[in-house]
Amino acid sequence: MAQAGYDRNEAAGNGASPEPAERDLVALGILVASIFLFIGTGSTVLTGIVRSWITGVGSPDLLLGNALILNIALLILGWRRYAEMQGELAARREAEDTATRLARTDALTGCLNRRSLDEAIAGMVESAGRDGDELAILMVDLDKFKRSNDLLGHKAGDAVLIETAQRLSALLPPRALVARLGGDEFICAAVFPPCSEAAIERLAMAVNGSLAQPIKVGALRAEVTASIGVAVGSRSAVHSAAQVAQDLLHRADLAMYQAKRRGRNRFAWFVASMERELRQRSELEQSIREGLPRGEFVPYYEKQVDLETGEITGFEMLARWISPQHGVVGPDLFIPVAEEIGLIGELSEALIARALEDARDWDPRLTLSVNISPLQLRDPWFAQRLLKLLVTARFPPARLEVEVTETCLHENIGVVRSLITSLKNQGIRISLDDFGTGYSSLAQLRTLPFDRIKIDRSFVSSLGQNADSASIVEAISSLGRGMSLPITAEGIETPEVLAALRGFGQFKGQGYLYGKPASAADVRRELAEQGLLSKVNEDAAPPQLPDARRA
């Protein structure tokens, strides 16, 4: 603003044209002066002309006549200039109004944007407070919008956002607004009478139902759902309307993330405990970010055993976090967080690299199984990076088995097929993990080049207690024999389960019956005792890795 003021003064000092408002005043002054001059001279000149014409005596004053003609010209010029200036002023005001509207609204959807949202919500808080009402905030985030946008294209993505805004607007009651925060996030705000929780829930469910309906974009069809966070509040005697608005938006945002964690395509109310959970989550994220470069994440190993002979055939790598604050942390806690904050690729590859170095010292007959995240399956360069890890560790690809969960097959079957084929071409074996928990079809099993099926532990651990589990295990066993796919059973924890499994055929198995997952140092000691270390490395000192018992 200071620079703009400086430019105007400099321009005026250099003889430039005055501002439009100043030109307005000049034109108006000329017009007013011309009118007064016309009144002063016109009456005298016109009277003389009329008298001369009627009586034929005398002649009009030529000088005054010329002055009158000049005055009329000035009058016409002044009026014309004034009219032009009024048109310019109207156009300028229209341009300013358009600029203001564009600055306050989202160009794509026509909704309010983030810049104007705070003021609008504060105004609604103030208005609702005067009437004794409450303001409900719905934070709406589209589930898997990025995936749909990537698959169908940005034009289809824009159409989804526009249709979403229209559907939200159609559902909202009077005294409501819709704003787009950017990306795939929207805010709905509506005024309700006190104690209207049931009505607000009906609105949230209606939003979920409406946004779950497919959106047609030409010949394409986009399918998205929404996670919704709900918060309700009213004007406070202690806090300003602007502060209440900020608190409501923050609470709705927390509730929205809770809805996502509960499975998406649903809504969640804000509760006070979410603040504490958010703090803990933030601390957990920070600890993961700091612990990764410090090497706090280490591979642990679970035995895989031939059920017929009892011999060790390999190990499955399982991630553990040796945290200075939290102790030994299992993957169920930190893997989902690492996926959400975008560190799962770096974390997984660091663990695989350490596991390859550990397994290189084992007997060459022993295999290493590793799990990969569904997010890594979407990475077209993952196969190349895995091959680089194998080359760096000098680890034979034939000893590595990559486990793909059954649910991954529905993310993007084309990408999954390409990745599996690429890994297979390098000599790496592929197993289908958690079989029976997803929806893979026989056609997928037939067309995708899997080397092994792993039965989910939920079916195995309940053998002898649940007849359905026995039927499922028997069916999977028959399927494996029919397709010449060897089978591994997870979750063997008791001798009774082991005996039941042996009745279904030949399996590899793993579970707590054979020991809990152990650190690299413990595995190395056990293998040394059984003579299962590589002859080249059996006399080497064991690597110094963090141990759960020392943490």
Side-chain angles (χ1 to χ4, degrees):
M1 293 301 293
Q3 181 63 41
Y6 170 78
D7 289 341
R8 284 199 299 268
N9 293 335
E10 184 178 49
N14 290 335
S17 300
E19 289 295 308
E22 297 173 0
R23 295 200 301 269
D24 251 357
L25 291 176
V26 171
L28 182 61
I30 293 174
L31 180 61
V32 171
S34 300
I35 292 173
F36 278 113
L37 184 61
F38 179 78
I39 295 172
T41 61
S43 58
T44 302
V45 174
L46 291 175
T47 300
I49 291 174
V50 171
R51 183 186 304 116
S52 174
W53 180 65
I54 294 175
T55 62
V57 178
S59 60
D61 189 320
L62 187 59
L63 182 61
L64 288 178
N66 290 335
L68 178 60
I69 294 172
L70 178 61
N71 180 232
I72 293 172
L74 288 174
L75 184 62
I76 295 172
L77 178 63
W79 177 258
R80 180 180 176 183
R81 186 57 183 156
Y82 181 73
E84 290 176 352
M85 293 304 300
Q86 287 299 308
E88 292 178 12
L89 183 59
R92 182 171 182 174
R93 286 173 179 167
E94 183 179 354
E96 290 175 350
D97 291 343
T98 301
T100 301
R101 177 174 54 80
L102 292 176
R104 293 176 57 85
T105 59
D106 176 58
L108 178 64
T109 63
C111 301
L112 294 179
N113 59 17
R114 184 184 292 273
R115 181 181 299 178
S116 58
L117 177 65
D118 292 343
E119 180 183 347
I121 296 295
M124 293 185 73
V125 169
E126 192 72 35
S127 174
R130 286 195 299 267
D131 298 335
D133 292 328
E134 294 181 327
L135 184 64
I137 300 291
L138 276 67
M139 177 77 74
V140 180
D141 185 89
L142 300 183
D143 302 323
K144 299 182 179 179
F145 171 76
K146 183 179 184 302
R147 176 190 169 198
S148 177
N149 197 39
D150 292 342
L151 290 176
L152 303 180
H154 294 294
K155 184 176 180 180
D158 289 347
V160 168
L161 294 174
I162 294 171
E163 179 65 19
T164 297
Q166 292 174 350
R167 292 183 183 184
L168 290 174
S169 299
L171 290 170
L172 292 180
R175 300 176 67 189
L177 64 80
V178 179
R180 181 185 173 210
L181 297 185
D184 56 358
E185 282 191 337
F186 292 83
I187 286 287
C188 299
V191 176
F192 287 89
C195 303
S196 297
E197 286 79 5
I200 296 171
E201 287 194 356
R202 286 194 297 271
L203 174 61
M205 288 188 290
V207 170
N208 272 134
S210 177
L211 298 187
Q213 298 299 314
I215 298 173
K216 291 185 178 180
V217 185
L220 304 175
R221 193 171 84 158
E223 295 186 4
V224 296
T225 57
S227 297
I228 304 172
V230 183
V232 176
S234 58
R235 189 174 61 177
S236 169
V238 178
H239 300 105
S240 66
Q243 183 59 54
V244 172
Q246 287 298 317
D247 290 344
L248 285 176
L249 291 170
H250 174 65
R251 293 172 180 176
D253 190 49
L254 293 179
M256 183 269 292
Y257 280 106
Q258 186 65 31
K260 282 192 175 295
R261 285 194 287 271
R262 291 176 182 173
R264 306 175 189 268
N265 191 24
R266 65 193 64 218
F267 70 91
W269 283 91
F270 169 80
V271 293
S273 62
M274 291 180 182
E275 293 278 8
R276 183 177 65 255
E277 292 175 6
L278 178 67
R279 231 176 5 256
Q280 293 172 346
R281 169 62 180 257
S282 178
E283 292 172 358
L284 182 63
E285 290 181 5
Q286 186 61 29
S287 297
I288 292 174
R289 294 182 191 277
E290 294 173 352
L292 187 54
R294 289 201 293 251
E296 295 177 4
F297 297 90
V298 299
Y300 269 46
Y301 302 98
E302 184 175 29
K303 295 177 189 174
Q304 295 178 328
V305 176
D306 186 318
L307 298 190
E308 186 174 357
T309 64
E311 295 179 353
I312 299 176
T313 61
F315 292 86
E316 178 181 356
M317 184 202 77
L318 302 173
R320 293 294 185 268
W321 180 14
I322 313 300
S323 168
Q325 295 84 18
H326 309 290
V328 181
V329 182
D332 291 344
L333 177 62
F334 64 84
I335 290 296
V337 178
E339 288 179 335
E340 291 182 19
I341 63 177
L343 290 179
I344 189 61
E346 181 181 352
L347 173 59
S348 176
E349 290 173 24
L351 288 169
I352 292 174
R354 296 185 71 167
L356 292 175
E357 292 179 4
D358 294 337
R360 185 180 57 195
D361 295 340
W362 303 343
D363 189 288
R365 294 171 296 174
L366 301 181
T367 61
L368 172 67
S369 298
V370 298
N371 293 278
I372 60 174
S373 164
L375 297 180
Q376 292 174 282
L377 283 176
R378 304 175 193 168
D379 181 1
W381 298 103
F382 173 73
Q384 284 73 14
R385 285 203 295 273
L386 184 58
L387 180 60
K388 182 179 179 181
L389 294 176
L390 288 168
V391 171
T392 301
R394 302 189 307 278
F395 190 84
R399 290 181 58 197
L400 180 65
E401 186 172 288
V402 171
E403 299 184 0
V404 178
T405 59
E406 189 178 8
T407 53
C408 292
L409 302 183
H410 307 284
E411 292 291 327
N412 189 334
I413 188 63
V415 174
V416 172
R417 180 180 287 108
S418 175
L419 176 61
I420 290 177
T421 302
S422 179
L423 294 175
K424 287 277 292 182
N425 290 340
Q426 305 300 331
I428 298 170
R429 288 183 284 184
I430 310 295
S431 65
L432 181 58
D433 197 15
D434 299 337
F435 187 72
T437 60
Y439 305 94
S440 59
S441 66
L442 294 178
Q444 289 172 334
L445 282 178
R446 183 171 55 84
T447 58
L448 294 174
F450 290 112
D451 297 290
R452 178 174 295 275
I453 295 175
K454 296 190 72 174
I455 307 176
D456 185 69
R457 66 178 61 249
S458 63
F459 303 122
V460 175
S461 60
S462 59
L463 281 176
Q465 305 171 11
N466 188 313
D468 291 339
S469 294
S471 299
I472 292 173
V473 172
E474 183 179 11
I476 296 175
S477 175
S478 299
L479 179 65
R481 287 193 299 269
M483 301 186 69
S484 299
L485 288 174
I487 297 175
T488 297
E490 301 179 292
I492 305 175
E493 300 179 357
T494 66
E496 291 77 17
V497 170
L498 175 60
L501 273 174
R502 283 174 171 166
F504 294 118
Q506 294 184 345
F507 292 90
K508 281 174 59 175
Q510 60 189 85
Y512 285 0
L513 180 64
Y514 300 104
K516 294 185 178 181
S519 67
D522 290 340
V523 167
R524 184 183 179 89
R525 279 191 290 269
E526 182 177 355
L527 293 179
E529 293 171 359
Q530 299 184 32
L532 292 176
L533 286 180
S534 170
K535 298 299 182 182
V536 177
N537 299 295
E538 62 182 356
D539 296 327
Q544 297 300 312
L545 295 177
D547 194 312
R549 294 173 299 181
R550 298 196 297 268

